[in-house]
Amino acid sequence: MRHGRVFILAAVVLAGVAGCANRPNNLEIYYDQPGGTPSTPAAPTVTPSQASRDAQSSTARAADDIAKQVDTAVLTSSDLIHEGVHASTTRPANGACFDAVPAGDPRGASWVYNSGSTLVQQVTGYLDKLATDVVSQVQCDGDALDVQLPKGAEKARGWCQSGTCTVLLASGHVLSGLQVTASATGRASDAVRSLVPIAAGKLAAAE
């Protein structure tokens, strides 16, 4: 009887082994695919620090581009060769309109006419706003100066008060301001109007 029990148990074990012998030994089925669902690799994730670095890099590139546009928009002696001016050793005081322009990243130059009149250009770049919006918001005292929109600018506004005339030109993120002070308002308005197409051309070249 004892021998008979051993034989029956051995037969059961062999039967179990034989049942598995005809199936491939696929470890993926046993371990990687529970429930018969294929596994897929996890998608790469972007960490907050990486996203922050990318945003900072993009902002820095934009700031560099605007700074270059501002530099390009500044008038030079070759631009003004026919205007009868020479570089000023001291910058004249800003008129009320220039003081009303929101702060940004300004560049500029000052010039003196042979007649003694003065010209100040102030070019300002804005990273977070359009220059057209800035010009629309500026409010200056004095009389409005009629200025035709020149080629190269997207918006132009002007004012005159007490012998000083100011024109603001906008394109993209750059604002170019011109201020002429003369012995009479009529002379200042004529001078600043003659400069408008020159300054607008520099704005276009800056883009």
Side-chain angles (χ1 to χ4, degrees):
M1 293 297 293
R2 187 174 301 174
H3 292 292
R5 289 178 182 174
V6 172
F7 175 79
I8 293 170
L9 180 60
V12 171
V13 173
L14 289 173
V17 173
C20 296
N22 293 328
R23 297 192 316 195
N25 186 17
N26 190 341
L27 295 180
E28 292 184 358
I29 293 177
Y30 294 136
Y31 299 104
D32 292 340
Q33 300 178 5
T37 303
S39 63
T40 56
T45 58
V46 178
T47 63
S49 59
Q50 179 182 344
S52 177
R53 288 194 298 270
D54 290 345
Q56 291 175 357
S57 178
S58 177
T59 301
R61 287 195 299 270
D64 287 342
D65 289 343
I66 293 173
K68 291 176 182 177
Q69 293 173 19
V70 168
D71 287 337
T72 302
V74 175
L75 296 172
T76 66
S77 57
S78 59
D79 298 320
L80 302 172
I81 192 169
H82 299 299
E83 299 301 314
V85 299
H86 57 272
S88 175
T89 56
T90 59
R91 178 187 170 98
N94 281 351
C97 271
F98 269 13
D99 286 337
V101 173
D105 181 20
R107 304 284 192 278
S110 304
W111 309 85
V112 178
Y113 287 88
N114 295 332
S115 63
S117 301
T118 60
L119 161 63
V120 179
Q121 184 195 26
Q122 180 173 290
V123 184
T124 308
Y126 300 95
L127 180 62
D128 58 346
K129 63 187 74 175
L130 293 175
T132 52
D133 294 337
V134 175
V135 171
S136 296
Q137 295 168 3
V138 172
Q139 298 297 326
C140 294
D141 295 331
D143 300 322
L145 177 65
D146 183 28
V147 180
Q148 297 294 321
L149 183 65
K151 183 178 180 180
E154 297 171 356
K155 193 173 185 66
R157 296 181 69 193
W159 300 264
C160 287
Q161 183 182 32
S162 304
T164 296
C165 291
T166 304
V167 171
L168 303 180
L169 304 171
S171 179
H173 290 268
V174 179
L175 184 155
S176 179
L178 302 168
Q179 172 187 288
V180 175
T181 300
S183 57
T185 298
R187 297 183 66 177
S189 62
D190 289 343
V192 78
R193 280 195 181 104
S194 70
L195 296 168
V196 165
I198 302 173
K202 296 284 284 189
L203 273 178
E207 295 182 347

